[in-house]
Amino acid sequence: MSNSDNTVQPSPFQSMSEEERIHFTRNIIALLDDWKVADSDQIRLLGVADETRRRQVRSWRQGSSFLPDEPRVVEYIDHLLGIEDALRTSNPCNYSAGSTWMNRVNNRFGNRTPLAAMLEDGITSIVAVRIHLDCAYDWHIDTQQN
């Protein structure tokens, strides 16, 4: 994760105990499960190595291991959590609305679902979905560019 002066931010995993990392990992997998993301697609959305096997997702889900502490993974998770936060803020009384929105065709994403756009385009569309949902994040990005 980087800030505006392009220095790398410390990983949030560094301050977590092993138990906290397992709990955090299980929550991330539960989020992707709620969005109805297949295990093989979860690997892509998390930014983990392409050769990661689907059974690793089961291991994360069951709490027998945790996500790797790699800058790419941290960046992807940061955006996924930002998306989830924006969805929850937009629909505070309807927990399933976020999953519905992620799986509904949206012309903003080339008549694809936001989830399909994120899977097909990677970090570019993950950031685009976050910007679409979170005007505060969009404002933050805009001020960094000016």
Side-chain angles (χ1 to χ4, degrees), residues 88-99:
R88 192 179 59 250
T89 301
S90 299
N91 302 287
C93 297
N94 185 350
Y95 182 75
S96 65
S99 176

Side-chain angles (χ1 to χ4, degrees), residues 2-26:
S2 301
N3 64 15
S4 60
D5 63 2
N6 292 327
T7 58
V8 175
Q9 296 293 320
S11 168
F13 292 130
Q14 292 174 350
S15 63
M16 291 183 189
S17 69
E18 184 173 316
E19 183 178 317
E20 290 169 327
R21 284 184 68 180
I22 287 172
H23 182 72
F24 180 80
T25 297
R26 290 180 79 181

Side-chain angles (χ1 to χ4, degrees), residues 5-59:
D5 63 2
N6 292 327
T7 58
V8 175
Q9 296 293 320
S11 168
F13 292 130
Q14 292 174 350
S15 63
M16 291 183 189
S17 69
E18 184 173 316
E19 183 178 317
E20 290 169 327
R21 284 184 68 180
I22 287 172
H23 182 72
F24 180 80
T25 297
R26 290 180 79 181
N27 286 339
I28 296 297
I29 299 302
L31 164 66
L32 297 176
D33 287 342
D34 287 344
W35 289 351
K36 316 254 184 295
V37 180
D39 289 0
S40 58
D41 291 335
Q42 289 189 21
I43 291 166
R44 291 173 36 209
L45 284 181
L46 291 167
V48 295
D50 291 338
E51 61 272 3
T52 303
R53 298 190 183 268
R54 289 186 305 182
R55 68 175 168 240
Q56 182 62 54
V57 176
R58 287 191 296 274
S59 174

